[in-house]
């Protein structure tokens, strides 16, 4: 994502700047990482070239610290939206979707 695009997405995603810090809008916002105990096990997917990658990695570390990280996968050489844009390959996208499906199946089969 280009730097100017992040401003556009922020304004569209959460027009009110105060809601951008809400746990539901940004679970990795600094203070939202303070109380993750009891959160559901998670699979975190980040992309190597994504401007949001560091936020996802921080969230993965925080989940790992409370025992809630199942897996963190970083999609190499790709940016945000690789699965719907022409950044990634179909095979790569299907591989990530398979991981997500496996995670959901495992989580819902208990």
């Amino acid at each position: 994502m280009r730097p100017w695009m992040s401003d556009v997405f922020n304004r569209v995603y959460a027009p009110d700047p105060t809601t951008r810090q809400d746990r539901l809008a940004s679970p990795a916002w600094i203070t939202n990482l303070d109380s993750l105990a009891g959160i559901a096990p998670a699979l975190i997917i980040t992309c190597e070239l994504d401007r949001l990658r560091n936020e996802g990695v921080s969230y993965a570390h925080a989940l790992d610290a409370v025992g809630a990280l199942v897996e963190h996968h970083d999609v190499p050489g790709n940016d945000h939206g690789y699965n719907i844009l022409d950044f990634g390959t179909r095979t790569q996208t299907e591989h990530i979707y398979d991981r997500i499906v496996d995670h959901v199946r495992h989580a819902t089969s208990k």
Side-chain angles (χ1 to χ4, degrees), residues 2 6-7 9 31 34 38-39 42 46 59 62 64 70 80 82 93-94 97 106:
R2 305 283 186 258
S6 63
D7 292 334
F9 278 97
T31 55
D34 293 343
I39 196 167
T46 55
Y59 190 50
D64 194 34
V70 172
H80 197 95
Y82 73 95
T93 298
E94 288 175 354
Y97 284 3
H106 179 74

Side-chain angles (χ1 to χ4, degrees), residues 21-80:
Q21 299 173 18
D22 185 278
R23 177 180 301 278
L24 297 176
S26 182
W29 187 263
I30 299 162
T31 55
N32 292 341
L33 298 176
D34 293 343
S35 59
L36 294 175
I39 196 167
L43 163 66
I44 303 296
I45 307 290
T46 55
C47 294
E48 178 184 16
L49 306 177
D50 190 350
R51 289 179 48 92
L52 300 173
R53 180 184 181 275
N54 290 342
E55 186 174 335
V57 170
S58 293
Y59 190 50
H61 288 307
L63 290 170
D64 194 34
V66 297
L69 180 67
V70 172
E71 177 185 357
H72 171 216
H73 181 75
D74 194 52
V75 184
N78 278 285
D79 201 345
H80 197 95

